Amino acid sequence: MLFFSKITGGAATVKSQTRYLQFGLSLAFVLVLCLSWGMTLSQLRENRRFIIQGLSTQQANLTAIIAENIYQVVNQNQAIGLVAQGWIRHHQQEQPAEINNFIYSEQAFNRIVLYGVDGRKLYQTLPDFQQSITPEEIKGYLGTLASDIGDQAKILVPKNNPRPNWQLPILFPLTSGDQLEGAMLLEMNLGYLLNFLQGLDIGRSGRISIYSDQGEILARYENYGLVNIDQYASKPDYHQVDDTSHSILFTYSHETDKYQVAARKVRNYPLIISLSQGLQESLAEYYSYRSRIVMGMVILTAFGCVGFVLLLRILNRTDDYLASLKDSDAEKQALLAKLEDEHKNAVNAASFDALTGLYNRRLFVSLAKQNLYAARRNNTNYGILFIDLDRFKTINDTLGHRIGDLLLQEVADRLTGCVRKSDVVARFGGDEFVILLAEMDSLSDISMVAEKIIDTISLPCFLDGEELSVSPSIGIAIFPRDGLELEDLIRNADAAMYVSKKAGRGRYSYFDASLNNNSSIQKFELEQGVVRAIEKNEFVLHYQPKIRLDDSRVVGLEALIRWQHPQHNLLYPNDFIDCIEESGHISKLGTWVLEAACRQLVKWRGLGLQTVPIAVNVSPTEIKEKDYAENFITMLDRYELKPEDIEIEITEGAIFEDKQTLHCNLTRLADEGVTISLDDFGNGFSSLSHIRSLPIRTLKIDRSFVNDMQKSRNDNAIVTSTIALAKKLKLTVVAEGIERHDQLIHLKLAGCDQVQGYFFSRPVEEEQTREFLRKPVRSYQNE
């Protein structure tokens, strides 16, 4: 009140202070305005730079993949060159059968022509109807080879007679030491590359060009196919590339647009791959976004200026304001009363989670302590359940925070429906929930609640057009056994929750290790009960689909075993496979899995469903049994199934054990038509050279490489090279552990055949698997 009295008594001083205040506010307003515009424009420039950087990285990757494919095709000249040299030396009077067989079986080349040292044509597989290379040009090239013998190939570009755009003649020297024995012309079919290039999205302005190392354009591909290069004037698509294996990036202007170009030399050959894309098309969304941002800033600036002018006008009305100070005391009292009411409302709002409506941590602690204080006077059990959602961060990062918030609200509703009104449910933050179960008669009742929560939360839900599945990992602490104070119980339940996550997720664990499924006593029980479990059909199979990338169709199922234990609920393979192998019963379990898969196929067909092959996992112990292959074929005959209906998957560890028996069993199965897959490739010590002698038709890349291939350059190179080499061995490549859309796109560009993982579906029960057979085509464009 003293301040207001001073203002009332000195109006001249107030006017002077008002002028200083106006100047200070004006300066602050200008500074804020400049800072806002500066930050906005800087962020827009950074966004543009990030988009161009991403385009450059994508172009570099695409040119590397294309260059590697062309290298693999052209590099076949070495093998045919050896055959050609032998024919030139010794068998010029005979037809070179090996060369004929090569040109008929290899679609990448149209024609092979052999020349002597004098330029004379010795042999050709097909006549040159186009007459694109004249004899004089061939003699000139041979003269160059004779003067400079080396392993460098030469691109034959006709000078007088234009060649068809889909043919690329490459001349290779045939040498012995320093002597030129002749030359071989391979006419490469550029149309062969069209199937690979059609899968690349280069946009309307994009084009892929092939140059010689002298800068002569040889072929050009646009988004609708190979184009006639004679229709184009020389354009700056080409830039000098050295002999290193790295791509170079540059930009150039043409007409009204700028083009971003990545160029890469095909190693060991005089070919350069160039990929150019117009920046105007690539930045179209950015320009639209920039326009909206700038327009929004203009509007905000206009409103800010208007508001600031009004503020200055208000400040100039100081005299009227001073007159109203007489009534301010009553208004102040009313304001204090209103603030007190708002404070009460704020305290009440601070007790609940704004997103889910559940109790927050503050109120939960207060209520839980009151319950635990009352629990000291009775003998009932109180349980603290600490719940964390599995893979929630992946969903949040992939589909956005809006979907994540909707999922948290759905989980909150389901949790509330799983407990009693006397129990306390709270959200601690993020995807963490805590429940206090009050006055439980026994531990089995707490387990029943935990199981109900897992089953309820794990059910699929539809949010904003998206079908989502998430599972909870639960840790349980019991009062008073695991602690007398609430803080200790929450900490112990949190620790037990991490045990659940390490054990495979989608399960619960007690803080007391003696109650968990991995104790030594229960391990002994599992070993002793496996035979009884097989006899009583306690084991069940879950199925995970394998998706073909070409058409997004389900082309196979992997059968994964689960143990529906009467005391320990649903157990996963990590819980019991090791102890069953140690007990010597793994072969019995493997036989049960094979027979269960056969029965399932027969059942589905009886329902009129179109089935796909089922893959079963075979342990190293089973596959090294001498009669395994015969027993496998006998099982198929018993259920009247074809060998193509059941596939087997072996691990890398099986390759190094009893190789003779392994080779006999696999050869016998392959001869019958059974598909054999090598599972978790890269996780062990085998390589492609180790499996060339085995009849393996499918290679499954381990999920550890797929998971970080976008972040780790080494994992990216391993996956890409493995796919390329496997293709050369004519192996089908399956990538495991697909959880994100970017992994799917990268694998498709790299040439991967099939994928499986949580991105499409986790392993599900038989009834849910039928949906994959009724609707085998899976959509993932918007996931």
Side-chain angles (χ1 to χ4, degrees), residues 620-632 658 660-662 664-666 668:
T621 303
E622 293 179 80
I623 199 65
K624 69 181 181 181
E625 294 177 355
K626 294 183 178 180
D627 56 349
Y628 177 81
E630 294 299 328
N631 292 338
F632 188 96
D658 196 357
Q660 183 176 359
T661 304
L662 171 71
C664 292
N665 279 329
L666 294 184
R668 174 78 170 89

Side-chain angles (χ1 to χ4, degrees), residues 279-484:
L279 291 182
Q280 186 171 356
E281 178 185 358
S282 301
L283 296 174
E285 292 186 5
Y286 163 77
Y287 290 142
S288 176
Y289 169 76
R290 184 183 66 180
S291 298
R292 294 195 302 271
I293 294 298
V294 171
M295 182 59 67
M297 285 296 297
V298 170
I299 294 174
L300 289 177
T301 301
F303 277 107
C305 292
V306 172
F308 185 72
V309 171
L310 292 176
L311 177 62
L312 294 180
R313 293 184 63 183
I314 292 174
L315 291 176
N316 288 329
R317 300 171 63 183
T318 307
D319 293 339
D320 294 337
Y321 176 73
L322 291 175
S324 66
L325 287 179
K326 296 179 181 180
D327 302 325
S328 65
D329 186 69
E331 295 177 358
K332 182 181 66 174
Q333 296 299 327
L335 179 61
L336 290 176
K338 182 179 179 180
L339 289 176
E340 185 176 353
D341 292 338
E342 291 179 355
H343 175 70
K344 293 179 180 178
N345 294 332
V347 170
N348 184 56
S351 300
F352 295 87
D353 179 61
L355 178 63
T356 62
L358 299 177
Y359 296 135
N360 60 12
R361 180 192 291 265
R362 176 178 173 274
L363 187 55
F364 175 84
V365 171
S366 176
L367 295 175
K369 286 184 177 180
Q370 294 177 16
N371 277 271
L372 294 181
Y373 180 80
R376 290 181 171 90
R377 296 186 299 230
N378 55 50
N379 296 323
T380 57
N381 293 304
Y382 283 68
I384 296 291
L385 275 62
F386 198 103
I387 304 170
D388 186 89
L389 301 181
D390 301 329
R391 298 178 60 249
F392 176 78
K393 184 178 184 300
T394 301
I395 295 175
N396 219 20
D397 293 343
T398 304
L399 301 179
H401 292 282
R402 180 175 178 276
I403 297 298
D405 291 346
L406 293 176
L407 179 59
L408 291 175
Q409 293 172 348
E410 177 68 19
V411 170
D413 293 338
R414 294 186 182 187
L415 286 176
T416 305
C418 291
V419 298
R420 304 163 300 177
K421 292 184 178 180
S422 59
D423 299 325
V424 183
V425 184
R427 179 186 177 216
F428 268 30
D431 60 334
E432 295 179 347
F433 297 84
V434 179
I435 298 177
L436 171 67
L437 300 178
E439 299 181 355
M440 305 299 289
D441 294 333
S442 64
L443 295 182
S444 61
D445 294 337
I446 297 178
S447 298
M448 291 174 60
V449 174
E451 292 171 2
K452 182 179 180 181
I453 291 174
I454 292 174
D455 293 339
T456 303
I457 300 300
S458 298
L459 293 175
C461 60
F462 295 86
L463 301 174
D464 200 17
E466 300 285 349
E467 181 179 357
L468 301 178
S469 294
V470 66
S471 61
S473 292
I474 304 176
I476 305 174
I478 305 299
F479 173 89
R481 187 194 63 197
D482 298 329
L484 298 176

Side-chain angles (χ1 to χ4, degrees), residues 647-692:
E647 301 176 357
I648 68 170
E649 294 184 5
I650 62 174
T651 60
E652 293 184 71
I655 297 178
F656 300 98
E657 298 182 9
D658 196 357
K659 293 184 179 180
Q660 183 176 359
T661 304
L662 171 71
H663 189 277
C664 292
N665 279 329
L666 294 184
T667 302
R668 174 78 170 89
L669 293 173
D671 291 341
E672 290 292 333
V674 178
T675 299
I676 302 168
S677 302
L678 182 61
D679 197 10
D680 298 333
F681 180 78
N683 197 29
F685 300 95
S686 66
S687 63
L688 291 174
S689 60
H690 289 142
I691 64 175
R692 292 180 62 184

